[in-house]
Structures are given as structure tokens and as C-alpha cells.
Amino acid sequence: MPVKRVGVIGLGNMGVGMAANLIRAGHEVTVYNRSRAKVDALVAEGARPADRVAEACTGDVVLTMLADDDAVAGLAFGDEGIIASTAPDTVHISSSTISVGLAKHLTEAHAAAGRGFVSAPVFGRPEAAASAALFVVAAGPAECVDLAMPAFAAIGQRTFVISEDPPAANLKLSGNFLIGSVIESLGEAMALVDRGGVDKHQYLDTSTLFSAPVYRTYGALIAGGQFEPAGFAAPLGHKDIGLVLAAAEELRVPLPIASLLRDRFLRLLAGGGDHLDWSAVGGLAARDAAASDHSA
Ligand code: NAP
């Protein structure tokens, strides 16, 4: 793969590993982050620092890995934003998990400005980002996706190119809905067996019905009650379930389990869970069961 000049904007739990792997793959990487300390850490690994968004927008591609719709819109639009700052040949890759509405808005705004845009959200937690093991779901014009491919190869183990229309990559949201459903149901099943006197780790080992990584990863976190530090913070999980429900509302698709999950996230956050991993939703059923000891 040819060396590319890559800008990375957003060095949170995910972006920091993605940028490091782009550097390791031999690309020339320029990094921007709202808070400067994270930039300095990557400069030590060989990145060039950007003091302003615009300085990260002049390479072959600029990859954004920001928290949510507000963060992406805040840096993409406006006189000093990404769209106004990219060179004509620079392709913007948005890897954040964002709303369908914003994906459409970004698609239209890039097209109106004559700029390339690829929506490429990812599956995988920070450990996968750090080890270049993400799954990338990419959608955008073929020539833009082709330009972005070396960057995808550096951050992930596999890239699925699903459409020429960027908002199609929002199928990622339905994946997070499925993971959230697994977290809740695993939490309920483990609260039950724990109450019945079975060791939760042993239960996981003997529960051979489900060997998929999502059960193994989240089962271990829930069984061990390891919800800190947050790899995927609970407010971001709450955000994603909200985005799923917004898409369902628009398309008039009832999603009763997603509605339930929204309330479970609200319960977690109302109880002070902002700093926890989203898998802490899987600890709620055990807390409810313990609470029932005092209510009899
Ligand atoms: P994170 O650790 O919270 O990092 C968020 C990044 O966005 C930081 O660089 C933060 O800057 C920046 N940011 C937030 N608000 C901003 C604003 N208003 N203006 C400018 N910059 C802002 O999040 P993450 O876990 O890396 O996730 C990033 C995206 O990937 C999210 O959309 C998430 O849903 C998605 N995702 C996450 C995972 C996961 O397991 N963590 C997996 C797949 C996809 P500061 O450093 O200055 O705060």
C-alpha cells in the first residue's frame, strides 16, 4: 500500500490507537485533538502536531473519530471546519458512530463543496483499535473509498464496503443495538444463576451455547464486574441506543427491546454511572436482585 498523508482528528479511547497504527503502517500522520496532552503523546510516537483543525485536513485523507453528532458537526462545518479546510483531493473519513441525519447532512455538504466523503464507522473496542483489529464498515463513492483503503488496512482486520451512499454505513447502529441487547440479557442470566449459587465465571465457561466474541468479551466483563476504566463509556452507549430509536422512529419500525435498553441506560446514568463502561448495564439486574433482599 502506498504511504499516505493522513490527518486524524479526535484522539479519545479509539482515535489514539487508530492514529498509532497509521504511524506504524508507515503513513505520515498529523493529529489534532481538542485537549492537547493526547496530541503530545502521539507526537512522541512520530505524529506531527496540529494546533488547528485545518492543519490536519490537507493530506490524502482526514479521519475523524469524535464522540458524537455535536462534536462531529462542530468540527466539520463552519469557516474553519473540516469541509472548508480540506484540499480538493482530500477525502474525509468519518469513523464516529453518528445519527443517520448527520450522515446525510455531511454527505450533502461535502458534495456541495466538491469534497470527498466516506462514512466508515467501526466495530471493536479500544483494545481492537490498539491492535489494528477493527472491523470497518465503509460507504462512499468508489474513488473515495479506494483512496481510503490504505488507512482502513492500517486500522482494521477487515473492511466491508457496502454502498456508494455514505449514510448506508449507519447499519453500524443496528450492530450496537444487538450488542446492547446481549449485555442486558447476559446481565439478567448471570444475576439469575448467581442468585442460585452458581459461580458466574464457571457459568460462562460451561455455557457453550454462545461462543461468539461478543458473549465472551461482555460475559467476562459482567461476571467480573469490571466496568472501570470505561473502554466504551456508558453515555456513548446511551447515545447509540438513542440514535437507533431515532432511526426507527423515522422509518416507523417498532423496536421494543431498544426502548427497554434506553431505560436501562437512563437508570445507569441516573445512578451516577457516567464514568462506567456501557457493559455496566449488565450489572443492573444483579443490583435489582440484591435490592429485593431489603424490600421483603
Ligand atoms: P472518547 O474516548 O470519549 O473520545 C472522544 C473524542 O472526541 C476525544 O478526542 C474528545 O476530545 C473529542 N470530543 C468530544 N467532544 C468534542 C467537542 N465538542 N469538540 C471537539 N472534540 C470533541 O470516545 P471513543 O470511545 O474514542 O469513541 C469515539 C467514537 O467512536 C464515538 O462515536 C463512539 O460511539 C465510537 N466507537 C467507540 C467504540 C469504543 O469501544 N470506545 C467502539 C466503536 C465505535 P477530548 O480528548 O478533548 O475530550
Side-chain angles (χ1 to χ4, degrees):
M1 290 282 189
V3 171
K4 297 281 184 190
R5 291 174 299 131
V6 183
V8 179
I9 296 178
L11 303 174
N13 286 333
M14 296 294 287
V16 67
M18 294 158 81
N21 282 320
L22 285 159
I23 296 168
R24 280 182 208 120
H27 300 298
E28 290 175 21
V29 179
T30 303
V31 290
Y32 172 86
N33 195 62
R34 178 176 63 177
S35 40
R36 176 72 196 211
K38 295 174 184 171
V39 170
D40 293 337
L42 275 161
V43 167
E45 293 193 39
R48 298 168 189 209
D51 291 324
R52 296 182 307 117
V53 165
E55 292 168 24
C57 294
T58 55
D60 301 296
V61 296
V62 55
L63 184 151
T64 48
M65 196 48 170
L66 298 157
D68 54 20
D69 274 28
D70 285 349
V72 175
L75 296 198
F77 303 119
D79 290 346
E80 299 194 356
I82 294 163
I83 299 171
S85 306
T86 42
D89 294 338
T90 306
V91 170
H92 176 196
I93 305 168
S94 169
S95 284
S96 304
T97 308
I98 56 172
S99 69
V100 177
L102 180 59
K104 287 179 180 166
H105 189 184
L106 286 167
T107 301
E108 289 159 8
H110 282 81
R115 297 295 185 266
F117 177 62
V118 175
S119 180
V122 297
F123 284 108
R125 290 172 58 86
E127 306 82 60
S131 58
L134 295 170
F135 291 97
V136 182
V137 182
E143 67 277 13
C144 296
V145 172
D146 285 350
L147 203 79
M149 274 301 184
F152 296 150
I155 63 171
Q157 58 177 297
R158 187 160 174 199
T159 298
F160 301 89
V161 180
I162 56 155
S163 172
E164 296 233 358
D165 186 31
N170 273 68
L171 69 79
K172 147 82 185 170
L173 286 174
S174 68
N176 277 20
F177 160 59
L178 285 174
I179 299 170
S181 308
V182 167
I183 290 171
E184 171 63 23
S185 53
L186 267 174
E188 292 182 21
M190 278 201 236
L192 179 66
V193 299
D194 183 49
R195 201 73 168 161
V198 175
D199 179 80
K200 288 178 281 186
H201 295 280
Q202 186 187 20
Y203 169 68
L204 264 187
D205 287 344
T206 54
S207 179
T208 53
L209 280 177
F210 304 110
S211 59
V214 66
Y215 282 94
R216 280 189 268 114
T217 300
Y218 286 102
L221 290 174
I222 296 167
Q226 292 162 12
F227 305 133
E228 293 179 74
F232 183 48
L236 293 179
H238 176 241
K239 169 218 32 148
D240 285 356
I241 298 303
L243 297 180
V244 168
L245 286 168
E249 185 92 26
E250 177 79 19
L251 296 170
R252 293 198 166 189
V253 180
L255 297 180
I257 293 176
S259 298
L260 180 149
L261 279 173
R262 176 184 163 278
D263 273 357
R264 294 302 259 172
F265 274 102
L266 276 181
R267 168 147 162 26
L268 181 67
L269 298 178
D274 286 66
H275 63 293
L276 299 176
D277 192 81
W278 76 323
S279 54
V281 160
L284 292 177
R287 275 164 56 177
D288 292 346
S292 70
D293 285 340
H294 308 290
S295 59

